[in-house]
Amino acid sequence: MQFSKFGEKFNQYSGITQLMDDLNDGLRTPGAIMLGGGNPAAIPTMLDYFHQASDEMLANGELIAALANYDGPQGKDAFVKALAQLFRETYGWDISEKNISLTNGSQSGFFYLFNLLAGKQADGSHKKVLLPLAPEYIGYGDAGIDEDIFISYQPDIELLDNGLFKYHVDFEQLTVDDSIAAICASRPTNPTGNVLTDGEIHKLDKLARQHNIPLIIDNAYGLPFPNIIFADVQPFWNDNTILCMSLSKLGLPGVRCGIVIANEAITTAMTNMNGIISLAPSSVGPAYANHMIEKGDLLKLSTEVIKPFYQQKAQRAVELLQQAITDERFRIHKPEGAIFLWLWFDELPITSMALYARLKARGVLIVPGEYFFIGQEEGWDHAHQCLRMNYVQDDEMMQKGITIIAEEVAKAYAG
Ligand SMILES: Cc1ncc(COP(=O)(O)O)c(C=O)c1O
């Protein structure tokens, strides 16, 4: 069969597809220790809440209405309005329903946005999305219809006490010129748990405005929901910012709901793309989230249940790792948010891809760091020395997985 250029590109077995496959296989393999994928934790309080919300929505007709009707291409009106009001009241942002569009998961929102802005332009030039700091979210990597739509920069590495470290944007290196279509960063960052400081965000905003390009902030884990953010920072939005959110890490990845908060021109573009690509985004997630807003539960549960759950899990995982791996070349990125720890094995004699394969053979699924250095030239040792570990499993699984990681890392250093 002959595929088109588009077909060839999107028929690749990309890093993100491998990750989703591993996740799917692992979920069905007895005994597998899943420290790989990005599935949120099954938090009992949240599961009970969704159970109860489903009962209520079934009884009052909201669930069947969501299942049985298309929403408009911008996404469920009632939810978009309720969200705009929530942001106005919570943060004083000057937004209305004209600033919000929904997509089938924020992953597809990024596909729309990157291709709306980057790649081949009408005048024949080629533009890229600038990622101020790699490692960055694996899911961006293959999202361009055109090739080569990302450029990224190595971070400054700050070594911290207690075996931790933190990445910072190296502003001296960043070059924004006519070839840049947008700046994009996840905050908190998947895979590292880094949170760009308020200072870094303001500098990026200034840079974006100076060059008349948008700043895309991927807020899949951030404020005000799901609030898996432990650093003391402020949320950020203005009419040059495209803030992307998701219901997934609230515990609802199956409803596939992404939220894009942007100026009216971007909102209209997203709405038009929705119409062509999917008619309308799914109605079910917005119905649940709207129910949560009406009840006053969305922010409350994020702050009182989700955030403390992940924060405690992250601290425990750091503790377990530091007990199990005492080699001084091992460091953990300061856990500031998201649902992963980023492990750095300096001077590791094998690549993290090889370490991933050894761990997979022993039933531990983890993600090799190489995938996250999107938009980078090959040749930075650090890119082969890191692993992303999801820390949401129960304590017994975490201990088992970490013991095996410690053994394989010791073998690799010794060998
Ligand atoms: C940083 C980041 N952005 C976006 C996404 C996509 O999420 P979804 O498509 O489920 O909304 C993820 C998923 O893990 C993520 O980690």
Side-chain angles (χ1 to χ4, degrees):
M1 192 187 317
Q2 185 172 330
F3 286 140
S4 66
K5 211 167 145 229
F6 175 95
E8 288 294 342
K9 169 125 203 321
F10 286 91
N11 181 34
Q12 292 173 85
Y13 192 65
S14 66
I16 189 75
T17 314
Q18 172 179 354
L19 184 66
M20 293 313 282
D21 262 357
D22 271 358
L23 180 65
N24 191 41
D25 294 347
L27 286 173
R28 280 156 194 76
T29 309
I33 302 175
M34 293 295 304
L35 308 181
N39 215 44
I43 304 176
T45 313
M46 292 307 293
L47 294 180
D48 288 349
Y49 181 85
F50 294 135
H51 200 134
Q52 190 193 325
S54 304
D55 286 347
E56 288 167 13
M57 290 167 63
L58 200 54
N60 69 16
E62 281 170 7
L63 194 53
I64 297 297
L67 291 171
N69 294 292
Y70 287 115
D71 285 331
Q74 186 181 344
K76 188 176 287 304
D77 290 344
F79 176 52
V80 165
K81 282 188 185 143
L83 256 188
Q85 187 180 350
L86 184 84
F87 287 119
R88 277 197 307 272
E89 285 172 2
T90 313
Y91 299 127
W93 293 345
D94 179 20
I95 67 170
S96 73
E97 59 271 26
K98 293 187 179 151
N99 300 104
I100 301 179
S101 54
L102 307 182
T103 55
N104 288 316
S106 64
Q107 182 69 21
S108 50
F110 286 106
F111 179 81
Y112 288 11
L113 284 170
F114 293 152
N115 290 300
L116 189 64
L117 299 165
K120 194 163 180 199
Q121 308 287 303
D123 65 3
S125 65
H126 178 91
K127 290 195 193 248
K128 297 189 185 187
V129 175
L130 184 151
L131 309 174
L133 189 165
E136 237 323 340
Y137 172 48
I138 191 172
Y140 304 153
D142 294 305
I145 292 176
D146 291 326
E147 296 290 349
D148 194 24
I149 65 153
F150 294 103
I151 177 158
S152 68
Y153 290 87
Q154 290 176 11
D156 275 337
I157 298 179
E158 181 190 5
L159 299 183
L160 303 170
D161 291 341
N162 306 323
L164 302 180
F165 72 103
K166 177 170 166 64
Y167 292 134
H168 293 279
V169 177
D170 182 356
F171 282 94
E172 305 251 297
Q173 277 193 70
L174 293 201
T175 311
V176 182
D177 57 21
D178 286 350
S179 69
I180 301 301
I183 298 175
C184 174
S186 59
R187 184 193 199 225
T189 306
N190 171 358
T192 58
N194 189 31
V195 172
L196 295 182
T197 63
D198 290 334
E200 285 172 318
I201 286 288
H202 284 109
K203 272 192 181 175
L204 291 174
D205 172 54
K206 200 167 154 204
L207 209 53
R209 286 175 171 280
Q210 272 167 3
H211 292 87
N212 205 17
I213 55 174
L215 171 63
I216 303 173
I217 302 176
D218 180 350
N219 193 32
Y221 301 89
L223 283 158
F225 61 87
N227 201 353
I228 311 174
I229 181 161
F230 322 133
D232 185 16
V233 294
Q234 297 302 313
F236 187 87
W237 186 80
N238 60 38
D239 68 355
N240 195 51
T241 312
I242 304 177
L243 186 68
C244 299
M245 301 193 62
S246 170
L247 300 187
S248 295
K249 313 302 168 176
L250 271 180
L252 297 173
V255 300
R256 312 303 304 125
C257 178
I259 301 159
V260 178
I261 306 167
N263 61 35
E264 289 185 30
I266 295 285
T267 305
T268 304
M270 298 298 285
T271 303
N272 289 337
M273 289 173 92
N274 261 341
I276 293 171
I277 295 170
S278 50
L279 299 184
S282 168
S283 321
V284 175
Y288 274 91
N290 200 38
H291 178 89
M292 294 173 83
I293 293 177
E294 277 173 1
K295 297 234 151 198
D297 292 334
L298 184 62
L299 306 195
K300 190 164 178 273
L301 288 168
S302 298
T303 307
E304 293 177 8
V305 176
I306 297 176
K307 176 178 173 152
F309 175 91
Y310 283 104
Q311 192 159 20
Q312 184 269 327
K313 281 272 190 198
Q315 279 163 2
R316 174 73 179 142
V318 168
E319 222 173 83
L320 289 173
L321 280 160
Q322 291 185 334
Q323 277 163 14
I325 310 174
T326 51
D327 194 301
E328 283 188 359
R329 291 165 290 187
F330 167 56
R331 283 181 176 269
I332 304 173
H333 193 286
K334 185 179 179 194
E336 297 183 302
I339 62 177
F340 311 101
L341 291 181
W342 181 247
L343 318 182
W344 173 23
F345 303 99
D346 199 11
E347 298 171 14
L348 191 71
I350 60 170
T351 61
S352 58
M353 200 70 92
L355 185 56
Y356 155 79
R358 291 183 189 184
L359 289 168
K360 191 174 170 185
R362 294 192 59 188
V364 178
L365 289 167
I366 198 154
V367 186
E370 276 91 348
Y371 286 128
F372 301 93
F373 290 84
I374 302 154
Q376 290 272 301
E377 303 285 324
E378 269 292 310
W380 189 28
D381 287 346
H382 184 79
H384 301 283
Q385 297 171 344
C386 301
L387 292 178
R388 188 192 79 176
M389 191 186 92
N390 180 316
Y391 58 72
V392 305
Q393 298 296 331
D394 66 34
D395 209 60
E396 194 190 334
M397 280 290 193
M398 292 302 297
Q399 293 200 35
K400 274 191 193 158
I402 286 170
T403 304
I404 295 172
I405 294 171
E407 285 168 12
E408 288 302 325
V409 166
K411 265 191 230 164
Y413 273 135

